[in-house]
Amino acid sequence: MPVVRGKNIEPLFTAEQIRQRNLELAQDIIKGPCDDLLVISVLKGSFIFAADLIRALHDVGLAPEVEFITLSSYGTGTVSQGVKIIKDIDSDVKGRNILLIDDILESGRTLLFAKELMFERGAANVTIAVLLDKKVKRKEVFEADYVGFECPDYFVVGYGMDVAYAFRELPFVGVVTGDA
Ligand code: IMP
Ligand code: MG
């Protein structure tokens, strides 16, 4: 089992599984609305997935523009939670086909917020690609259009995802199982 920062990390989805799945996702995405496509990576967690997925999009013949938005949730526990924009995109989305890319779909709040924001700004169409879907954590009626893997209800790290800023560099998705 890989040991990083003195912790055992049990791989859940390997680098090879993710690479293969990204190509399949790209093959699905190209069948959807992708004329003049603008891809928006929802930071921070999606940066590695987005980097790989947009290259898979190139491999299947798409040439999207790429943008970044940083979103953050606020409020915890019983306090009603919201989402705020930390850093916005620069592009005008009016009339365009948008693909939002995120790492994990959990409650659905982040991506529901992002999708509604794009429609309010006049996007013609908004689709969602996520690497992982934790369905049991959903709080909104919301589904992604493209899902890499169904994710069991563990806190996962790697492939861009962190716990307290650590483990983003792992080339696979895993679970911290304890001290090595
Ligand atoms: P939600 O769908 O609004 O609840 O947002 C889910 C976001 O929380 C994801 O985009 C991640 O950034 C973060 N997140 C949720 N679960 C995990 C996890 O298991 N590991 C790391 N980050 C997570
Ligand atoms: Mg995120």
Side-chain angles (χ1 to χ4, degrees):
M1 197 185 296
V3 175
V4 182
R5 292 169 172 257
K7 302 284 186 195
N8 288 315
I9 318 276
E10 187 180 334
L12 203 55
F13 303 107
T14 66
E16 181 50 31
Q17 284 175 315
I18 296 169
R19 192 196 61 75
Q20 178 60 39
R21 190 71 188 117
N22 285 345
L23 189 57
E24 293 169 0
L25 291 177
Q27 285 161 345
D28 287 344
I29 290 167
I30 199 172
K31 293 178 200 148
C34 42
D35 226 38
D36 186 31
L37 184 65
L38 174 62
V39 169
I40 304 176
S41 165
V42 180
L43 297 176
K44 301 170 183 171
S46 78
F47 77 107
I48 293 183
F49 176 47
D52 284 346
L53 186 59
I54 62 178
R55 283 177 289 186
L57 293 177
H58 164 82
D59 291 341
V60 300
L62 282 175
E65 289 179 11
V66 181
E67 267 276 20
F68 304 89
I69 190 166
T70 309
L71 298 178
S72 172
S73 309
Y74 60 88
T76 49
T78 53
V79 180
S80 83
Q81 298 190 349
V83 179
K84 63 182 175 187
I85 303 171
I86 305 294
K87 188 175 186 309
D88 209 341
I89 55 171
D90 301 317
S91 304
D92 188 357
V93 301
K94 197 171 248 117
R96 299 194 66 177
N97 289 315
I98 307 296
L99 174 67
L100 289 165
I101 301 183
D102 206 354
D103 51 358
I104 305 192
L105 174 56
E106 259 202 8
S107 70
R109 288 189 193 103
T110 306
L111 283 167
L112 180 63
F113 173 89
K115 187 172 185 173
E116 285 179 346
L117 182 70
M118 296 306 146
F119 275 129
E120 278 164 23
R121 291 174 176 181
N125 193 70
V126 183
T127 53
I128 310 282
V130 295
L131 179 70
L132 303 175
D133 186 359
K134 269 193 210 172
K135 278 195 194 304
V136 297
K137 288 285 183 73
R138 202 78 88 252
K139 296 276 187 281
E140 305 284 347
V141 179
F142 188 88
E143 296 303 327
D145 301 277
Y146 311 99
V147 173
F149 304 94
E150 299 295 330
C151 186
D153 189 16
Y154 302 131
F155 193 85
V156 297
V157 297
Y159 200 66
M161 292 171 284
D162 71 313
V163 54
Y165 302 98
F167 304 118
R168 290 196 200 271
E169 78 285 5
L170 304 180
F172 57 90
V173 173
V175 180
V176 180
T177 57
D179 293 329

